[in-house]
């Protein structure tokens, strides 16, 4: 399998479980904590920010911008489509120069940025799962192997 194909598959996986989690959060908006909503908003904001750093074609969200639960799925889907655009349009070894949200200049390869987006999303989905479990909401099995079965 080509590395770009693997990244497409990783983004399909992440998109799938982000969509499921977005639905759970929206359906239980009155029960879930502000922390869970803030973490999911951050997850989709950060994804949008990283896509924007590579594509340089849209004003990025704020890092901790809060979104309505009703908008989660739409933002997540747009992020997914834009990440697929990155995978198609750029070499994975291409260096991207960008400024952090604090204005500090950095450089990373497209490969490292894409992996960071996936890893960051997984990390925050796990934090949200812990919050949901604490209030008795049934968790989704979002492990990679479960997805691949």
């Amino acid at each position: 399998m080509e590395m770009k194909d693997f990244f497409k598959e990783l983004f399909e996986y992440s998109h799938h479980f982000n969509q499921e989690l977005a639905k759970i959060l929206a359906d239980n908006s009155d029960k879930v904590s502000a922390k869970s909503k803030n973490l999911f908003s951050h997850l989709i904001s950060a994804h949008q920010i990283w896509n924007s750093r590579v594509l340089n074609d849209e004003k990025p969200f704020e890092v901790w911008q809060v979104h309505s639960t009703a908008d989660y799925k739409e933002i997540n889907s747009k992020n997914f489509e834009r990440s697929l655009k990155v995978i198609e349009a750029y070499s994975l070894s291409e260096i991207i120069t960008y400024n952090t949200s604090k204005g500090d200049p950095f450089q990373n390869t497209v490969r490292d940025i894409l992996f960071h987006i996936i890893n960051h999303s997984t990390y925050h989905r796990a934090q949200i799962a812990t919050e949901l479990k604490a209030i008795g909401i049934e968790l989704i099995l979002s492990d990679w192997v479960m997805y691949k079965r």
Side-chain angles (χ1 to χ4, degrees):
M1 174 183 281
E2 297 281 333
M3 195 60 145
K4 282 191 171 198
D5 292 332
F6 182 61
F7 271 110
K8 287 179 192 174
E9 196 171 15
L10 285 173
F11 276 95
E12 289 166 1
Y13 153 77
S14 190
H15 177 257
H16 172 81
F17 285 113
N18 284 350
Q19 291 295 86
E20 284 197 19
L21 186 54
K23 182 178 182 343
I24 289 169
L25 293 170
D27 289 351
N28 295 281
S29 186
D30 58 330
K31 297 177 196 167
V32 299
S33 67
K35 180 178 179 180
S36 291
K37 293 174 189 176
N38 289 341
L39 284 169
F40 196 84
S41 286
H42 171 67
L43 182 160
I44 57 179
S45 289
H47 189 161
Q48 189 265 5
I49 290 166
W50 282 106
N51 281 338
S52 294
R53 286 175 178 163
V54 176
L55 295 168
N56 198 27
D57 67 349
E58 137 177 303
K59 182 183 181 305
F61 289 139
E62 296 296 320
V63 175
W64 287 98
Q65 184 169 330
V66 176
H67 304 282
S68 165
T69 57
D71 295 332
Y72 288 172
K73 289 177 85 171
E74 181 182 341
I75 294 168
N76 184 57
S77 288
K78 184 176 180 184
N79 286 341
F80 170 64
E81 292 301 324
R82 288 172 47 81
S83 290
L84 293 181
K85 183 178 175 181
V86 168
I87 293 167
E88 288 297 321
Y90 291 83
S91 164
L92 295 177
S93 60
E94 186 169 340
I95 303 287
I96 302 297
T97 301
Y98 61 91
N99 291 322
T100 67
S101 57
K102 294 180 182 178
D104 298 326
F106 280 95
Q107 293 182 333
N108 289 100
T109 63
V110 169
R111 178 188 57 246
D112 289 343
I113 290 169
L114 292 172
F115 184 75
H116 173 73
I117 294 168
I118 295 295
N119 196 50
H120 183 258
S121 295
T122 301
Y123 174 75
H124 287 305
R125 280 195 305 269
Q127 288 180 302
I128 296 165
T130 301
E131 290 279 315
L132 296 179
K133 184 176 180 180
I135 62 170
I137 294 178
E138 187 174 339
L139 304 177
I140 54 176
L141 297 176
S142 62
D143 292 333
W144 173 253
V145 171
M146 301 297 188
Y147 176 74
K148 293 298 291 181
R149 288 183 179 165

